[in-house]
Amino acid sequence: MTLIPLAGLFQLEQNIPLALAIVVFSSFGFAAGATIQHLAVSKNTYGTAESPSMSMREFFGLLKNRTWLIGTGTIIVGATLHAVGLALAPVTVVQPVGILAVPWAVLLAAKLHGYRPTKLIWFAVALTIIGIVSFTYFSATTAAKETELNFWKIVIGVLVVFSIGALLAYLGMTGKGFRRCLLLASAGSFYYGMSPTMLKTLFEVLGKDHYWTDPLLYVGLFFLLTCYGVGGWMLQQAYANGPAEIVVGSMTTTDPIVAVGFGIAVLGEGALLGVSDAFGMLVTGAIAIGGVVILSKYHPDAQARRDAAQAASLAAKGSEPAEPVVEPTA
């Protein structure tokens, strides 16, 4: 058996079948936790009907909500199982399995809300899964074995990613309709996408002698906490504006794309990346993102919100509400 060192602290024997089984349960835990959190958030009204927005007071108020805490606990269990899976098998084997959270979330939401997913919804789910698994294939087969730890390169890279996430959050908070939920979820995913790279950086630092003298240890820890704190707040805003499936779909798509992109550009993991591989990653990444966009636009919840907004707008003008506009479905 091959031994896999974990941060230089202890070793576990590699067991790929067990790792895959654990991560399947992990993906279900994440989907279930996200669905439960969405149930807690969606019961309240935030801001206006067209542009729901959760204040910091309302966000911290969730800490007293039993349903939300159960969802958070379920997500933590899923994340812990995922970490165990990563300790038992290579990341290239484990990471693609996380995309199973998307169909899990669709099935759970359909059961809870009593609707039947359309063919178009399943097409969007399939497109997302195919895109991100293919993207992971290109990134995994060209990944360099050595990780480069350049302090200023990492700091600048993280700040660039955080800035993009902040821009997406601004566009989401000022937007309306399904785009608001999608942009807020994508913003949170940009921050969450940095968490595995920060964990990897910390593990690399902890594997060194006299690691406590390395400033990257403390900077990396600060960035990691920021990823979880700011990313978590943005995802709750997304829950207030749309269904859990859109949030889960955005996370399981954007998260690995951001992580892989950071690894290639900052951590030196793209040393073996060729032009054809880079092109393949661009195409498959675009396919995965397209699947999430379709899911967010044609989801029944998004349709209901558009109809409600249209009715409210007509009522404000003193007109009778028109018949709901039916989006094309497959």
Side-chain angles (χ1 to χ4, degrees):
M1 289 287 186
T2 302
L3 293 179
I4 303 177
L6 183 61
L9 300 177
F10 59 88
Q11 294 181 319
L12 294 175
E13 290 188 355
Q14 181 171 316
N15 190 326
I16 291 178
L18 178 59
L20 291 176
I22 289 174
V23 178
V24 169
F25 282 104
S26 168
S27 67
F28 180 80
F30 176 70
T35 303
I36 295 170
Q37 278 192 337
H38 177 259
L39 282 176
V41 173
S42 62
K43 289 181 179 179
N44 300 311
T45 301
Y46 305 101
T48 65
E50 290 186 354
S51 303
S53 181
M54 186 186 303
S55 67
M56 291 302 296
R57 182 178 180 180
E58 291 168 330
F59 173 71
F60 285 113
L62 290 172
L63 297 175
K64 301 177 182 179
N65 188 304
R66 180 179 296 181
T67 302
W68 187 86
L69 290 174
I70 291 174
T72 302
T74 306
I75 290 176
I76 292 174
V77 170
T80 303
L81 289 174
H82 190 80
V84 174
L86 286 172
L88 292 170
V91 65
T92 54
V93 175
V94 172
Q95 205 66 22
V97 183
I99 198 68
L100 288 175
V102 180
W104 285 135
V106 171
L107 290 173
L108 287 169
K111 184 69 175 178
L112 286 172
H113 301 298
Y115 71 84
R116 184 177 181 180
T118 64
K119 292 181 180 178
L120 186 58
I121 294 298
W122 284 123
F123 171 74
V125 171
L127 207 61
T128 301
I129 294 175
I130 292 171
I132 201 63
V133 170
S134 301
F135 178 90
T136 305
Y137 167 78
F138 283 112
S139 64
T141 54
T142 58
K145 294 182 179 180
E146 299 295 328
T147 299
E148 177 186 335
L149 295 181
N150 182 297
F151 179 84
W152 288 112
K153 196 174 181 180
I154 290 174
V155 170
I156 293 172
V158 171
L159 293 178
V160 168
V161 173
F162 281 4
S163 298
I164 296 173
L167 175 61
L168 289 172
Y170 171 76
L171 294 175
M173 295 299 289
T174 56
K176 296 180 180 179
F178 79 94
R179 295 179 186 84
R180 185 178 175 89
C181 175
L182 180 59
L183 287 170
L184 287 169
S186 298
S189 300
F190 258 78
Y191 281 83
Y192 265 28
M194 289 304 301
S195 58
T197 62
M198 288 300 96
L199 281 172
K200 182 173 183 179
T201 299
L202 289 173
F203 286 154
E204 291 288 335
V205 172
L206 289 170
K208 297 180 178 179
D209 293 331
H210 307 292
Y211 60 84
W212 59 88
T213 63
D214 192 332
L216 195 55
L217 173 67
Y218 306 100
V219 171
L221 182 60
F222 171 77
F223 283 150
L224 179 64
L225 295 176
T226 302
C227 289
Y228 286 133
V230 178
W233 177 79
M234 290 180 180
L235 292 180
Q236 301 312 309
Q237 297 285 357
Y239 287 139
N241 286 272
E245 304 95 295
I246 294 177
V247 180
V248 172
S250 179
M251 281 198 66
T252 52
T253 301
T254 308
D255 187 310
I257 290 176
V258 171
V260 170
F262 189 88
I264 291 173
V266 178
L267 300 181
E269 294 182 354
L272 305 178
L273 187 67
V275 176
S276 60
D277 298 313
F279 179 75
M281 290 174 66
L282 288 174
V283 172
T284 53
I287 291 173
I289 293 171
V292 177
V293 172
I294 294 172
L295 178 63
S296 64
K297 185 174 183 180
Y298 295 108
H299 189 279
D301 183 87
Q303 176 65 64
R305 287 173 182 267
R306 284 195 294 271
D307 293 343
Q310 183 187 47
S313 177
L314 291 173
K317 295 177 182 178
S319 304
E320 291 294 326
E323 290 294 323
V325 178
V326 179
E327 296 285 355
T329 57

